[in-house]
Amino acid sequence: MIGRRAARRRLLPIAILVILALLPLGLEQYKLYVASLTLVYLIMAIGLNLTLGYAGQISLAHGAFMAFGAYAVAILGQRGVPFEIGLLVGAALAFAAGLVVGFPALQVKHHFLAMVTLGFNIMVFLILRNWESLTGGSFGISGIARPAWGALIFRSDRAYYLYMLGWAALVVVSAHWILGSRWGRAFRAIRENEMRAEALGVSLRNYKVMAFAIGAAYAGIGGALFAPLLGYIDAGAFTLDRSIQFLMMVVMGGLGRFEGPFIGAILVTVLPEVLRASEGLYLVFYAVAVILMMLFMPKGLVGAWDWITRRPAPGGATPPAVSLPPDPARPT
Amino acid sequence: MTDFLQLLAAGISIGAIYAMCAIGFVLLWQTSNTINFAQGEFVVVPAFAMVLFWTTLRLPFAVALILTVVVSALLLGFGVRKLLISRLLQAGVLPLVIATIGLSLLIRYSIQQFWTPLALPFPPLFSRVPMRLGGVILAWEELMNVAFAAAIIGALQLFIARTKLGWAMQAVAQNRNLATVLGIDVGRLVTITFVLNATLTALAAILIAPVYLVKYDIGIGLGLKAFYAAIIGGFNQMRGALLGGLLVGVVETLSAAYISGPFRDAAVLVILIGVLLLKPEGIWGVKEEWAS
């Protein structure tokens, strides 16, 4: 019985991957674009979930980290560098930026970290918009080429979707691996109780900064895949709003849960399409949904699902969200 | 030199209004650990209320002002505290942050959808005839903004330093557990702080409306500046927010005039990041409180 369940657990991801791979055959161009965008968001959300959901370090700079990947691919692509190298360079740059931004995380608490990262995102946006010789300024960069392997060029939307799906699968598998390793356990230990983690021999300094940098590197990969999707990027695509959108995605999906980013990414891309009929009211509905969700299910949709099915959370108790140390006298 | 002095005056004038928003921000943080990402929208709502009462319904100025403050205090102070914050305080900092982001979106786009997406004009409160002081030309608006902001902040400071309620607020800010043990009703104080904050933003709204025009999205910039001011000056001190507000106003005005390059918007951010790296508790903040 248990063996069958384990087999099912192993088969499920493969089944989902097959369905996702067959998806483009049935979708018209615009819907395929939305599906491709969902893959980008999924990668972004997985990165942020690692930083915020597992290691408990808030980041409002994921839009900026994403820009590193997107601009690396765009700028290197103009000079004839293959896409994959651009992607790796972008991820490495984002990783380095994550190290730099994560460094203050050693000294400051959540709310200050929110501000540091927020400032960083605005800074990156200003640089992107104004460094015209490199980034094209507010005109952006157009004609970004899609990847090609010799004669095999992922030029059509369907082919590029499948290409992105491959990277997304790689990201999912690697994130799963990281979270299962001692790194993932250290991240969770820091989130639960910094002092205890340190007493148990977890090096806070290294792991906190790494949680930031790895999350940022994923964002870089997401950005690199995003750039050729429309073939055009400009600074406006990587604003603070975008970072806030990622944050909402992760929180609405369910912080610190592996399923969270999947649900969040689908929600954030599909919801606007569903609400499109309401025109401008979409944002009002969206805001109400966010507030209601925080009021009634702060653990996100995954948390709500757990509550409905009354299934204990896998891997032991998962606390609701990043929280301040318990404070008996919190006003209510 | 006269140019510089004129710019300085303009910067202080706008900075005084930023300081009002930043002080409200800091008070909320101190008593309730709420980072209010909707602070900018807390200025937009009373600005629209003032337009409604004063220019649309043509009520006398004093009546319109009182109504605006009351509406703001009830809706954004009492209402937000009771409907949103009460439930969320137990959930931790992050859900609270997201909820206030949601609230800011809700206010912004509701006004855009149900009221107007356009910028509404707002009549000047003071004579627009410039006055000369030596060689320097000053606007009455600038002088009066500073005077009113100083009076309001001074009154708030007196309230906090001289009244029992003010002492209780200080006690809660310093040590919530101890304050509870001493018999202070922390929940009630949080409510009072929210009402105070909404009153402050309402007054700031009336002062800034003639400068900025009244539009659904002016809260984005205002909220960010209050935020910067609070961080630069010091998040746990009222005096820090005051200093930060003035600094942001002055630096922003001077850099807009003197830095011709594309990075003029970045001057405030450079200060912000410098402060965060070198003295994260803020220029005039106190270290111990947030180190715990």
Side-chain angles (χ1 to χ4, degrees):
Chain A
M1 201 54 198
I2 291 165
R4 198 181 290 170
R5 185 175 285 178
R8 209 188 292 161
R9 287 201 82 143
R10 199 158 290 176
L11 277 177
L12 186 68
I14 297 172
I16 291 175
L17 194 64
V18 170
I19 292 170
L20 285 177
L22 292 175
L23 200 65
L25 299 175
L27 288 182
E28 60 190 271
Q29 196 189 13
Y30 179 71
K31 284 184 179 150
L32 187 60
Y33 165 72
V34 173
S36 307
L37 201 60
T38 311
L39 288 180
V40 172
Y41 286 173
L42 172 66
I43 296 171
M44 303 297 306
I46 286 176
L48 186 57
N49 195 31
L50 218 131
T51 309
L52 175 64
Y54 286 94
Q57 308 297 307
I58 191 169
S59 161
L60 278 171
H62 253 58
F65 295 140
M66 184 185 182
F68 282 92
Y71 276 92
V73 163
I75 292 166
L76 291 175
Q78 282 175 331
R79 287 154 180 77
V81 179
F83 177 84
E84 285 78 12
I85 294 181
L87 182 142
L88 291 178
V89 169
L93 285 175
F95 183 86
L99 285 181
V100 172
V101 180
F103 188 69
L106 302 172
Q107 312 177 28
V108 300
K109 289 250 160 202
H110 307 307
H111 40 287
F112 286 91
L113 197 55
M115 295 159 202
V116 180
T117 52
L118 179 148
F120 177 76
N121 203 125
I122 296 173
M123 202 76 167
V124 168
F125 168 72
L126 284 173
I127 292 171
L128 291 177
R129 201 188 59 190
N130 293 308
W131 193 351
E132 282 191 6
S133 58
L134 186 72
T135 66
S138 44
F139 298 108
I141 298 174
S142 53
I144 300 164
R146 288 184 174 170
W149 296 345
L152 182 62
I153 303 174
F154 299 92
R155 190 172 288 149
S156 81
D157 289 339
R158 278 179 192 166
Y160 188 58
Y161 169 85
L162 290 175
Y163 180 84
M164 290 171 77
L165 188 63
W167 275 104
L170 213 62
V171 163
V172 171
V173 169
S174 66
H176 191 80
W177 176 77
I178 290 176
L179 291 171
S181 72
R182 53 187 287 257
W183 286 83
R185 290 197 295 277
F187 291 160
R188 265 166 285 189
I190 291 173
R191 181 190 62 188
E192 306 296 306
N193 187 333
E194 278 192 11
M195 223 184 273
R196 188 182 64 197
E198 200 164 30
L200 291 173
V202 176
S203 159
L204 281 186
R205 170 176 290 262
N206 294 346
Y207 283 109
K208 266 187 174 181
V209 173
M210 280 313 274
F212 235 96
I214 296 173
Y218 279 140
I221 296 175
L225 292 168
F226 172 75
L229 185 58
L230 284 176
Y232 168 79
I233 50 168
D234 67 354
F238 309 102
T239 54
L240 181 63
D241 282 357
R242 176 77 62 158
S243 293
I244 290 177
Q245 196 185 16
F246 293 138
L247 186 70
M248 294 210 180
M249 217 158 29
V250 176
V251 174
M252 287 170 85
L255 271 174
R257 294 292 300 273
F258 200 75
E259 311 92 307
F262 295 85
I263 297 169
I266 292 171
L267 208 65
V268 165
T269 42
V270 174
L271 207 60
E273 303 305 322
V274 176
L275 292 175
R276 187 167 290 274
S278 65
E279 301 275 326
L281 277 181
Y282 153 61
L283 282 160
V284 177
F285 284 133
Y286 185 65
V288 171
V290 168
I291 294 173
L292 287 179
M293 193 134 170
M294 286 305 105
L295 279 176
F296 298 107
M297 36 178 160
K299 292 181 194 176
L301 283 178
V302 176
W305 176 250
D306 284 348
W307 187 80
I308 291 167
T309 56
R310 298 272 177 188
R311 208 174 37 176
T318 313
V322 184
S323 54
L324 284 182
D327 185 347
R330 282 191 86 84
T332 49
Chain B
M1 191 58 197
T2 53
D3 279 358
F4 176 78
L5 288 177
Q6 267 159 233
L7 287 169
L8 196 66
I12 290 174
S13 154
I14 198 84
I17 299 174
Y18 294 160
M20 288 172 71
C21 304
I23 286 172
F25 206 82
V26 166
L27 289 180
L28 287 188
W29 167 251
Q30 283 189 307
T31 50
S32 68
N33 280 8
T34 304
I35 308 172
N36 184 18
F37 273 91
Q39 187 78 344
E41 278 65 31
F42 277 31
V43 178
V44 175
V45 171
F48 270 89
M50 193 65 188
V51 167
L52 174 70
F53 294 133
W54 194 30
T55 51
T56 311
L57 298 180
R58 300 193 174 281
L59 297 175
F61 178 77
V63 178
L65 186 143
I66 292 169
L67 275 178
T68 298
V69 171
V70 169
V71 163
S72 177
L74 278 181
L75 211 67
L76 303 175
F78 196 75
V80 167
R81 154 74 177 138
K82 288 295 171 197
L83 293 177
L84 203 62
I85 309 295
S86 309
R87 288 188 67 107
L88 281 167
L89 273 175
Q90 296 114 319
V93 167
L94 202 64
L96 203 52
V97 164
I98 308 255
T100 59
I101 291 174
L103 182 64
S104 79
L105 294 177
L106 177 65
I107 294 174
R108 192 183 312 150
Y109 295 111
S110 296
I111 290 176
Q112 184 207 32
Q113 285 296 313
F114 303 123
W115 199 320
T116 175
L118 305 174
L120 302 176
F122 196 89
L125 300 176
F126 310 105
S127 153
R128 283 251 157 109
V129 181
M131 64 173 196
R132 287 171 184 280
L133 214 78
V136 185
I137 303 169
L138 293 175
W140 274 106
E141 198 167 58
E142 289 166 6
L143 272 183
M144 296 312 273
N145 278 355
V146 175
F148 275 101
I152 293 161
I153 294 171
L156 183 66
Q157 182 62 46
L158 272 181
F159 168 77
I160 290 177
R162 295 285 163 82
T163 66
K164 262 195 169 163
L165 225 50
W167 295 339
M169 273 174 71
Q170 289 185 53
V172 173
Q174 279 170 16
N175 189 328
R176 186 172 296 125
N177 296 349
L178 206 57
T180 313
V181 172
L182 289 174
I184 294 170
D185 184 348
V186 176
R188 186 167 142 257
L189 267 177
V190 171
T191 310
I192 292 171
T193 314
F194 267 86
V195 170
L196 266 181
N197 175 54
T199 310
L200 263 179
T201 57
L203 294 171
I206 294 166
L207 290 179
I208 207 168
V211 185
Y212 261 45
L213 295 181
V214 179
K215 199 180 171 203
Y216 73 95
D217 64 357
I218 56 170
I220 306 174
L222 272 172
L224 270 182
K225 277 158 198 163
F227 209 55
Y228 294 164
I231 305 166
I232 291 173
F235 220 81
N236 48 26
Q237 293 288 316
M238 225 177 98
R239 56 178 193 197
L242 177 61
L243 176 78
L246 293 175
L247 203 64
V248 169
V250 168
V251 169
E252 176 188 88
T253 313
L254 290 180
S255 65
Y258 290 118
I259 304 176
S260 56
F263 288 100
R264 69 170 72 165
D265 306 338
V268 172
L269 278 165
V270 170
I271 297 180
L272 176 79
I273 289 176
V275 166
L276 282 170
L277 288 177
L278 302 175
K279 202 168 183 300
E281 71 273 20
I283 295 175
W284 211 348
V286 176
K287 197 156 196 165
E288 33 158 12
E289 278 187 52
W290 62 271
S292 63

